[in-house]
């Protein structure tokens, strides 16, 4: 056994260098693969957060519509002319998302910080700018995903201005 250990110590320097080089290469490949999968998972997490926020906004719009209908019925006895003027759906939420940055127009998209939501009252639309542009695909090449408020006389809906894709998945 001692003889075997002595033989290992007497290996040429180039052999030990080769062993360490191979070990370093394997570690570097593993680190690169880990970083890639981490970035993919971050994108999936952001996608889930965006869809969750869209769902909360859509739910708030429906609840707001129902509250208006019931108020109209209790006041006048008829629900015919309930008007849904488009307004900022973030104001309907009990608590605004931490990454909501306020009002901004489509022309100001480049100034919006990545990872934030905005409302454009002129459109009326909500917009989201992804943290990483590589995750997001817009047919027109826009930096942000825009969803317009539509649907009167019923509950207002958020519909995409384009067909957006997020890491190959449909963002609606």
């Amino acid at each position: 056994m001692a003889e075997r250990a002595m033989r290992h110590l007497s290996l040429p320097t180039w052999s030990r260098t080769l062993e360490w080089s191979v070990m370093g290469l394997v570690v570097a490949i593993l680190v690169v693969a880990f970083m890639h999968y981490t970035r993919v998972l971050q994108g999936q997490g952001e996608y889930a957060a965006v869809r969750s926020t869209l769902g909360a906004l859509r739910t708030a719009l429906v609840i707001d519509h129902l509250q208006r209908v019931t108020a109209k019925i209790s006041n006048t006895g008829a629900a015919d002319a309930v008007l849904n003027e488009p307004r900022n759906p973030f104001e309907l939420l009990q608590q605004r998302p931490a990454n909501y940055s306020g009002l901004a127009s489509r022309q100001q998209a480049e100034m919006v910080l990545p990872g934030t939501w905005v409302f454009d009252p002129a459109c009326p639309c909500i917009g989201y700018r992804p943290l990483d542009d590589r995750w997001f695909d817009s047919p027109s090449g826009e930096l942000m995903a825009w969803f317009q408020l539509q649907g009167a006389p019923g509950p207002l809906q958020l519909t995409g201005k384009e067909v957006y894709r997020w890491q190959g998945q449909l963002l609606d």
Side-chain angles (χ1 to χ4, degrees), residues 42-116:
Q42 286 174 338
Q44 290 174 351
E46 186 179 2
Y47 174 71
V50 167
R51 294 211 25 160
S52 175
T53 301
L54 286 171
L57 291 171
R58 287 176 172 138
T59 301
L61 289 167
V62 170
I63 290 171
D64 181 60
H65 174 74
L66 292 174
Q67 287 173 340
R68 288 180 188 211
V69 168
T70 55
K72 183 79 170 167
I73 290 173
S74 64
N75 290 339
T76 64
D80 312 347
V82 175
L83 297 176
N84 275 350
E85 71 278 351
R87 61 182 190 176
N88 189 344
F90 288 101
E91 292 175 1
L92 301 174
L93 296 175
Q94 212 169 19
Q95 184 176 4
R96 291 183 186 152
N99 59 344
Y100 172 67
S101 66
L103 303 178
S105 68
R106 290 181 82 167
Q107 293 76 24
Q108 297 169 323
E110 288 184 13
M111 295 187 303
V112 173
L113 293 174
T116 57

Side-chain angles (χ1 to χ4, degrees), residues 3-78:
E3 198 176 301
R4 182 186 245 179
M6 291 301 288
R7 264 191 274 153
H8 179 69
L9 289 176
S10 65
L11 286 175
T13 307
W14 65 267
S15 177
R16 276 186 254 144
T17 304
L18 180 64
E19 288 175 6
W20 282 106
S21 298
V22 169
M23 179 63 86
L25 180 64
V26 168
V27 168
I29 290 171
L30 290 174
V31 166
V32 168
F34 176 76
M35 288 176 17
H36 169 72
Y37 285 112
T38 299
R39 193 169 40 245
V40 168
L41 286 175
Q42 286 174 338
Q44 290 174 351
E46 186 179 2
Y47 174 71
V50 167
R51 294 211 25 160
S52 175
T53 301
L54 286 171
L57 291 171
R58 287 176 172 138
T59 301
L61 289 167
V62 170
I63 290 171
D64 181 60
H65 174 74
L66 292 174
Q67 287 173 340
R68 288 180 188 211
V69 168
T70 55
K72 183 79 170 167
I73 290 173
S74 64
N75 290 339
T76 64

Side-chain angles (χ1 to χ4, degrees), residues 133-150:
D133 296 339
R134 293 176 287 182
W135 299 332
F136 177 70
D137 182 35
S138 167
S140 67
E142 283 208 48
L143 296 173
M144 297 180 68
W146 289 98
F147 299 88
Q148 187 166 18
L149 286 163
Q150 301 175 334

